Amino acid sequence: MKPITRLHSRTAVLPDENIDTDRIIPARFLTTTERAGLGKLCFNDWRYQADGSDNPAFPLNQPKARGCSILVAGRNFGCGSSREHAPWALLDYGIHAVLCSEIADIFRNNALKNGLLAIVLDEAEHRWLLANPGIELTIDVKEQVIALPDGGHIRFQLEPFARHCLLNGVDQLGYLQQHADAITAYEQRVEKAA
């Protein structure tokens, strides 16, 4: 995982509410543990027409959404079944942050553990971002603030351990591996005391 300190991008807006993990990546694609290539399957049943061509009605297929790495999504994003493939698919697609007024807990935890910023905003801030697609934002993970184009700011909260992992580019296993010497020393002390 790469460290995430700042993210600057235009926003893409997907205003639908209750976008569940099966819409993010359909269950029939959960046959792999490889992350690479999942981006082409992201929003598959929504993004493509029956013949495999792009669905022109899908918001992320619009030219103004291309290249955006910040997704402003409708309320209750990531609900449904737990699948780590959902944040993997979004990351492989090029989305590095999801902003929403309500993000499903399991999805949010999976996202943060995999380097996808999942940021919960208050309703008024969320409505404003939904109504202003394509604006440029800068997300500062260390300061936990989103800089708006007009000079304003939106504050957000990340759980401290998740924030630490994002800033240092480590997942939970990587964090433990960083403390391998201390863990070994503790185990040796416990063994001697037994």
Side-chain angles (χ1 to χ4, degrees):
M1 201 164 84
K2 293 180 183 175
I4 304 169
T5 55
R6 291 180 148 230
L7 176 63
H8 180 82
S9 174
R10 288 178 299 109
T11 62
V13 172
L14 200 53
D16 297 54
E17 294 187 355
N18 304 310
I19 298 172
D20 64 26
T21 54
D22 200 51
R23 285 187 86 186
I24 297 169
I25 184 160
R28 67 185 178 278
F29 299 127
L30 305 183
T31 58
T32 182
T33 56
E34 294 295 319
R35 300 171 189 206
L38 292 178
K40 68 179 182 269
L41 306 171
C42 190
F43 300 115
N44 188 83
D45 296 348
W46 200 1
R47 194 166 132 204
Y48 302 112
Q49 299 186 91
D51 66 1
S53 63
D54 285 354
N55 174 2
F58 182 60
L60 298 186
N61 285 343
Q62 303 304 311
K64 62 186 174 192
R66 302 250 186 232
C68 295
S69 60
I70 299 174
L71 177 65
V72 179
R75 189 180 109 354
N76 199 25
F77 187 82
C79 58
S81 63
S82 168
R83 57 184 70 163
E84 214 164 3
H85 292 71
W88 292 352
L90 288 163
L91 284 164
D92 195 55
Y93 179 78
I95 300 294
H96 295 282
V98 175
L99 309 180
C100 191
S101 62
E102 183 181 335
I103 300 174
D105 289 341
I106 294 172
F107 173 84
R108 186 167 194 249
N109 288 329
N110 282 338
L112 292 169
K113 288 176 187 177
N114 285 284
L116 173 66
L117 288 169
I119 298 173
V120 176
L121 307 171
D122 75 29
E123 289 289 339
E125 294 162 342
H126 182 235
R127 276 193 308 274
W128 188 85
L129 289 173
L130 285 171
N132 291 280
I135 62 169
E136 292 203 17
L137 300 178
T138 301
I139 301 172
D140 186 321
V141 176
K142 183 178 180 184
E143 299 301 324
Q144 298 180 102
V145 68
I146 301 168
L148 303 173
D150 65 0
H153 292 86
I154 296 173
R155 296 224 163 264
F156 64 91
Q157 293 293 315
L158 290 173
E159 187 272 324
F161 181 68
R163 182 172 161 265
H164 170 85
C165 289
L166 291 166
L167 288 169
N168 291 284
V170 296
D171 59 11
Q172 291 171 324
L173 179 58
Y175 177 82
L176 289 174
Q177 289 172 332
Q178 287 179 334
H179 299 286
D181 292 342
I183 293 168
T184 301
Y186 171 79
E187 288 172 340
Q188 289 170 348
R189 283 194 310 274
V190 169
E191 189 176 300
K192 284 181 185 178

